Amino acid sequence: MIKYLRSTKFGLIALLLMLTASITAQDLSKLTPDQLEMYKKYTAGKSATTTTQTTPEKEPEALTRTVDPKDSTLIVPKKIIKPDEDKLTVFGMYLFNDEKLTFEPNLNIPTPQNYIIGTLDEIIVDISGQYEANYKLKVSSEGKIRIPNVGPISVSGQTIAAATRSIKNQVSSIFPGINSGTTRLNVSLGNIRSIRVTIVGEAVRPGTYTLPSLATAFNALYACGGPTETGTMRNIKVIRSGKVVATLDAYSLLVDGVKTNNIVLQDEDIIRIDPYKIRAIVTGAIKHEGIFEGLQGETVEKMIQFAGGFSDNAYKGKITVFRYTNRERTVIDVEKTTFNSFTLVSGDSINVGKTMDRFDNLIEIEGSVVRPGSYALVPGLTVKQLISNAGGLKEDAFLTIAFISRKQQNDVPENIGFNLKELLDDKLKDILLQKYDTVKIKSLFDYREEKTVSILGSVLEPGTYPLKESTKIKDLIFLAGGFKETASKDTIELVRIIKDPSILRNTNEKSTVQKFALDKDQNVLNGGDSVTIQNGDQLIIRNISGYEDLRTIRVEGEVNYPGSYNIKNKAELISDVINRAGGFSKYAYKAGAFLIRSERPNEIEQKLNNSIIENSKSQLENDANKTLDANMLKASGATTVQGYTAMDSIQKKLSGSKVVDKIFKTEGIVGLNMEEVMKNPGGKFDLRLEENDVIYIPREQQTVKVLGQVLFPTIIRYDEKMNLREYIRNSGGFAINANRHKVFVLYANGNACSTKSFLGFKIYPKIEPGSRIVVPDKPIEIKNKLTTAETVAILTSISSSIALIYSILISSL
């Protein structure tokens, strides 16, 4: 039963997977829109269950559906292309969207005389002169103000000027000085009322706005955010009591700086923004590319004016207009003469081309003339005249030949050579120049080999210098900065290459050496003053005989005065420096003294090192030998042979220069027998010192270090009764890969002694204080391991061969 349930469960799972795969593999083009929507919800649910909460949800890609007119089946889902950030914008849209711009009404201005007074306006009546009085009066809902002792005065609907006259007529009965002029009356606005203005149509934020009564039409447009991208900016209407009282054109402000018809709004005014009627795109060699709105009857010339005019490189003779027709697009070439008469249609795209980047009268002259460069080609201009226009020839001009680089009618280049001297002397007919010709006049130095001379040795600035005519030995020395203090003026050598073919055929010598000397006045002796330096000569200034720079060594460790010491002569010995250092201190361990010598490998040693590393590589490539020294393998970065069964991987490791440095780096440690050195100065143990040598006298050692392939490498107290095997036993004994036959001892002074064998017996080195017992690795054998199938095949073949041999032997018996 359980087996049946298991099989049924797995069958259901398999069936579900098959159904899912079939749905996934189904062509989406055959799904209805409802099915596609359900499938998208299904896949979205699956992806939501497989993602963690920390994974941000990706925005769904927008799809656009291309629908066949015959049916509503989805054909191909396409990704919507996002608009380019640098796309063209509608000219003037920034006017109402820029937060830095504001069209708020200015309330701190004198009272406009044409301001229409309305309900809730505050009227200030100021009387001064023979009588003093001041009244702040609010206009009532009936449109009247009340002055004490005067009575109500109707002012609503009147301008400030008209209201002033009405108030003056009423107040003059109380203040008779007003008519005689002894009393003055002034009427102004105090706090103004608010008005309600409605904005409809293609506005960014249409609706009803409460504005100050001084607000104009542009103030209202700014409050609503201006027109939308489909709204007009050139035909905005202000409607009052059902009639259009003003039409705004924002382009008059943008282009001309004039706010045309920017009237003061009144309560219950309506501003209507209609959709645009005509728009055109202007691109190309224009100052401001963009989308511009036009009015009925406006021309291409007006659009170019809106775009700021042509750019400097614009081709103004003709522009191209791309226009939509009822079925397709068409191209119209508009000549310059019709710019002001070619009217626009909405959707037109105007493109202004650029002037061609070429010249109609350009010629050039280059090379050895006073003013090389570009010149204008005038009718009848010749080579001789062009040279005169360029200021004439330079002194180094090569007169034998000059060239004209010319383009033929098919733009195929050609070179025309001529004798410049004969042309200038009128022995050759002057050459008439053509458009784009380039006259090339070479210098004498262009046809001369670069000549150099070198100076080596004891001068301030040795090196190679350009050779000038008539240069002498003394000139070259001063050109190099003069002698160094260590220069020998008696052994100046001039090395000259033999260039005479007759001499080269009759001798094996390739150069000559002349020796000269200088006197105290820097004059060259031995006839050297008359010697002229030639191309390729080499002047060698040697140092004074026997001169050497200061050389130093260091003495460190247990001496009385450690530090740096100079080498006084070429025969300076170790004993000499030890004596100069005050001898040994009482803690010195003379048996452990050693010398460190830093020696850079010369060219021959470097070649030897390279040869050794190449031999190691060739061993790996040789099928007969699959062993490699352990040090070589470790230098390549490996600790075991695992992972290095492929020969090419080891060869790649061994190819680096770092491996060579690890193996062949010279330690430069020389063990010293200081007892013999100090006992027999100048003897065979007393070595001559070299620059940068370091003599180290250690402190007395009391330990022995065991290193390498032992179970527990450690440091052990020195005991003169213990031998090498006992020290190794104290370190845990040999490891499994220890090479017991190659154990050696490295003494404190750098000397080494290996294990020897005699008649099968091993003779181990003597152990001294400070010794290091080194147990090396066994040679590592690298083999290409056989697979199980290969091993079985080989064993089968061997068994068959043995059976065949056995049967032959039996039959022969």
Side-chain angles (χ1 to χ4, degrees):
M1 183 65 181
I2 294 175
K3 184 176 180 182
Y4 171 75
L5 289 175
R6 284 182 179 177
S7 62
T8 305
K9 181 179 180 181
F10 286 113
L12 290 173
I13 293 173
L15 180 60
L16 180 59
L17 292 175
M18 291 174 64
L19 289 173
T20 304
S22 64
I23 292 174
T24 305
Q26 185 177 356
D27 188 358
L28 294 179
S29 64
K30 297 180 181 179
L31 296 177
T32 65
D34 294 338
Q35 290 173 336
L36 180 64
E37 188 66 25
M38 292 177 63
Y39 173 69
K40 287 166 61 178
K41 290 180 179 179
Y42 168 72
T43 55
K46 287 185 64 180
S47 61
T49 57
T50 56
T51 55
T52 62
Q53 295 180 354
T54 58
T55 305
E57 295 184 359
K58 296 183 178 179
E59 295 183 359
E61 296 182 348
L63 297 176
T64 179
R65 297 192 297 175
T66 304
V67 181
D68 191 342
K70 297 181 181 179
D71 56 34
S72 58
T73 304
L74 180 65
I75 298 177
V76 180
K78 295 181 180 179
K79 187 182 291 185
I80 293 178
I81 300 175
K82 294 184 178 180
D84 189 0
E85 293 180 356
D86 297 329
K87 69 175 183 178
L88 299 176
T89 58
V90 178
F91 178 65
M93 290 298 295
Y94 64 88
L95 184 63
F96 302 103
N97 298 333
D98 194 342
E99 296 180 356
K100 297 180 181 179
L101 296 177
T102 178
F103 290 95
E104 294 180 359
N106 188 0
L107 304 179
N108 299 319
I109 59 173
T111 303
Q113 293 299 306
N114 60 349
Y115 176 77
I116 305 298
I117 299 173
T119 302
L120 299 181
D121 276 343
E122 184 182 56
I123 305 298
I124 300 175
V125 179
D126 185 70
I127 300 172
S128 60
Q130 186 178 1
Y131 302 98
E132 295 289 338
N134 185 272
Y135 304 102
K136 293 184 179 180
L137 308 169
K138 185 77 72 175
V139 179
S140 67
S141 57
E142 289 82 13
K144 297 178 181 181
I145 60 173
R146 179 178 291 276
I147 300 176
N149 302 322
V150 176
I153 302 173
S154 180
V155 294
S156 180
Q158 298 182 20
T159 63
I160 290 292
T164 301
R165 290 192 295 268
S166 300
I167 295 171
K168 187 176 182 180
N169 291 334
Q170 296 290 332
V171 173
S172 60
S173 61
I174 304 300
F175 301 99
I178 294 176
N179 292 329
S180 62
T182 58
T183 301
R184 294 180 298 276
L185 182 141
N186 182 57
V187 178
S188 61
L189 278 174
N191 294 327
I192 61 176
R193 71 186 185 278
S194 297
I195 60 174
R196 292 169 61 85
V197 177
T198 302
I199 303 174
V200 297
E202 300 294 331
V204 174
R205 294 183 295 275
T208 301
Y209 291 84
T210 300
L211 304 173
S213 58
L214 290 176
T216 64
F218 272 105
N219 300 144
L221 288 174
Y222 180 77
C224 75
T228 63
E229 289 192 359
T230 59
T232 179
M233 296 189 67
R234 305 199 59 197
N235 193 21
I236 302 173
K237 296 180 176 62
V238 180
I239 302 173
R240 184 175 297 162
S241 300
K243 297 181 180 180
V244 177
V245 295
T247 301
L248 300 181
D249 186 352
Y251 278 23
S252 63
L253 173 63
L254 294 169
V255 178
D256 302 324
V258 178
K259 296 181 181 178
T260 305
N261 294 333
N262 187 27
I263 63 173
V264 178
L265 298 175
Q266 295 184 14
D267 196 31
E268 300 303 328
D269 279 354
I270 297 174
I271 297 177
R272 189 179 71 201
I273 304 176
D274 295 328
Y276 71 86
K277 296 292 181 64
I278 299 174
R279 273 187 185 171
I281 298 173
V282 183
T283 58
I286 209 76
K287 291 181 180 176
H288 301 291
E289 295 183 328
I291 303 172
F292 299 88
E293 184 178 350
L295 298 178
Q296 192 68 33
E298 285 188 335
T299 63
V300 166
E301 187 176 50
K302 197 68 175 177
M303 293 296 106
I304 294 174
Q305 179 186 350
F306 291 155
F310 294 107
S311 60
D312 296 336
N313 62 341
Y315 175 63
K316 304 172 185 176
K318 180 187 295 185
I319 63 174
T320 304
V321 176
F322 301 92
R323 175 168 292 179
Y324 289 97
T325 65
N326 293 334
R327 295 184 57 186
E328 54 193 3
R329 299 189 73 181
T330 185
V331 180
I332 304 172
D333 291 332
V334 182
E335 301 291 340
K336 182 178 181 180
T337 56
T338 60
F339 284 178
N340 59 354
S341 60
F342 185 84
T343 56
L344 294 173
V345 175
S346 188
D348 281 355
S349 180
I350 302 169
N351 183 265
V352 180
K354 296 181 180 180
T355 303
M356 291 184 292
D357 189 17
R358 67 180 188 183
F359 300 88
D360 58 354
N361 63 339
L362 175 70
I363 56 172
E364 294 180 313
I365 184 170
E366 61 184 40
S368 189
V369 292
V370 176
R371 291 187 296 273
S374 302
Y375 289 87
L377 176 65
V378 297
L381 185 67
T382 62
V383 172
K384 194 172 181 180
Q385 294 171 352
L386 179 59
I387 293 173
S388 177
N389 294 343
L393 301 174
K394 289 184 178 179
E395 293 79 2
D396 63 343
F398 188 69
L399 302 178
T400 304
I401 190 171
F403 300 93
I404 298 175
S405 179
R406 173 171 293 173
K407 288 185 178 180
Q408 301 179 24
Q409 291 183 354
N410 54 2
D411 278 348
V412 176
E414 66 172 338
N415 279 331
I416 303 172
F418 59 92
N419 191 307
L420 182 58
K421 187 175 187 309
E422 292 182 358
L423 186 142
L424 296 176
D425 294 339
D426 295 328
K427 295 180 181 180
L428 181 67
K429 183 180 178 181
D430 205 353
I431 302 173
L432 191 65
L433 294 174
Q434 299 179 10
K435 184 171 65 173
Y436 300 132
D437 278 356
T438 300
V439 179
K440 299 180 181 179
I441 299 175
K442 296 286 187 178
S443 169
L444 286 170
F445 300 103
D446 293 336
Y447 294 100
R448 295 181 61 180
E449 179 186 1
E450 183 182 3
K451 296 182 179 181
T452 59
V453 62
S454 59
I455 181 169
L456 307 176
S458 191
V459 290
L460 294 177
E461 298 178 9
T464 302
Y465 295 89
L467 177 62
K468 299 180 180 179
E469 297 292 338
S470 303
T471 300
K472 306 295 183 181
I473 293 177
K474 185 163 63 174
D475 300 332
L476 182 57
I477 292 173
F478 282 99
L479 188 64
F483 294 110
K484 289 184 178 179
E485 185 180 4
T486 59
S488 174
K489 302 177 184 178
D490 298 331
T491 56
I492 298 175
E493 292 186 353
L494 177 64
V495 181
R496 176 165 294 170
I497 301 172
I498 300 174
K499 302 174 185 176
D500 189 343
S502 60
I503 298 177
L504 291 173
R505 284 194 296 266
N506 298 321
T507 181
N508 291 328
E509 295 184 359
K510 304 301 179 183
S511 62
T512 61
V513 179
Q514 304 176 57
K515 294 188 176 183
F516 302 97
L518 269 67
D519 59 17
K520 61 180 181 179
D521 297 325
Q522 308 299 327
N523 295 316
V524 183
L525 304 178
N526 305 330
D529 276 338
S530 61
V531 176
T532 301
I533 300 296
Q534 297 181 8
N535 182 33
D537 282 357
Q538 188 178 76
L539 194 65
I540 302 175
I541 313 297
R542 305 194 184 280
N543 287 330
I544 300 171
S545 178
Y547 170 80
E548 285 186 2
D549 292 329
L550 288 177
R551 300 184 299 159
T552 59
I553 62 133
R554 294 200 322 275
V555 180
E556 298 179 357
E558 296 301 324
V559 293
N560 289 320
Y561 302 106
S564 297
Y565 293 85
N566 73 300
I567 301 176
K568 297 191 297 184
N569 55 65
K570 294 184 178 180
E572 188 90 13
L573 301 173
I574 294 175
S575 59
D576 298 331
V577 177
I578 294 295
N579 290 329
R580 290 167 62 188
F584 303 106
S585 70
K586 63 180 180 179
Y587 301 105
Y589 180 54
K590 299 178 184 178
F594 58 86
L595 173 72
I596 301 175
R597 177 162 291 173
S598 301
E599 293 184 351
R600 296 181 180 178
N602 55 34
E603 185 178 356
I604 296 177
E605 291 174 339
Q606 190 63 43
K607 289 182 178 180
L608 179 61
N609 292 346
N610 294 338
S611 175
I612 293 174
I613 197 68
E614 289 298 327
N615 289 339
S616 298
K617 293 179 186 178
S618 63
Q619 288 180 11
L620 295 175
E621 297 172 357
N622 186 3
D623 293 337
N625 187 0
K626 295 298 181 183
T627 61
L628 182 66
D629 183 77
N631 293 327
M632 182 72 73
L633 188 60
K634 283 189 174 182
S636 68
T639 55
T640 65
V641 296
Q642 295 177 0
Y644 285 98
T645 54
M647 293 298 105
D648 57 346
S649 62
I650 302 181
Q651 293 168 16
K652 188 180 297 182
K653 287 284 186 179
L654 291 175
S655 61
S657 59
K658 293 183 179 179
V659 177
V660 179
D661 292 340
K662 288 181 181 179
I663 300 171
F664 301 110
K665 184 177 179 181
T666 304
E667 294 294 339
I669 297 177
V670 181
L672 300 177
N673 188 340
M674 294 305 298
E675 293 289 346
E676 290 294 332
V677 168
M678 303 308 295
K679 184 177 179 180
N680 298 309
K684 64 179 182 178
F685 295 103
D686 198 3
L687 304 178
R688 293 191 183 94
L689 294 173
E690 299 290 343
E691 185 177 10
N692 297 324
D693 281 354
V694 178
I695 300 173
Y696 185 75
I697 311 298
R699 185 173 296 185
E700 185 175 1
Q701 303 291 315
Q702 296 179 324
T703 58
V704 175
K705 185 179 290 186
V706 183
L707 305 172
Q709 295 302 317
V710 293
L711 295 178
F712 184 65
T714 186
I715 299 175
I716 303 172
R717 181 182 60 81
Y718 172 73
D719 188 346
E720 62 181 2
K721 296 180 181 180
M722 294 175 61
N723 59 20
L724 184 143
R725 293 188 64 87
E726 291 174 321
Y727 280 108
I728 291 177
R729 278 198 296 270
N730 288 340
S731 299
F734 292 108
I736 191 171
N737 57 340
N739 191 346
R740 304 188 182 194
H741 302 286
K742 300 296 182 181
V743 177
F744 65 94
V745 176
L746 183 64
Y747 295 104
N749 65 352
N751 291 333
C753 186
S754 61
T755 303
K756 299 179 182 178
S757 297
F758 179 74
L759 298 178
F761 296 97
K762 293 184 179 64
I763 303 174
Y764 294 106
K766 181 181 178 182
I767 306 300
E768 296 181 356
S771 297
R772 298 184 182 187
I773 301 172
V774 182
V775 182
D777 296 347
K778 289 181 180 179
I780 297 176
E781 184 176 1
I782 303 174
K783 296 181 179 180
N784 291 328
K785 297 180 179 180
L786 297 177
T787 63
T788 304
E790 291 173 338
T791 304
V792 171
I794 292 172
L795 293 176
T796 303
S797 177
I798 293 173
S799 301
S800 301
S801 299
I802 292 174
L804 179 62
I805 294 172
Y806 179 77
S807 61
I808 293 173
L809 291 175
I810 292 298
S811 61
S812 61
L813 294 176

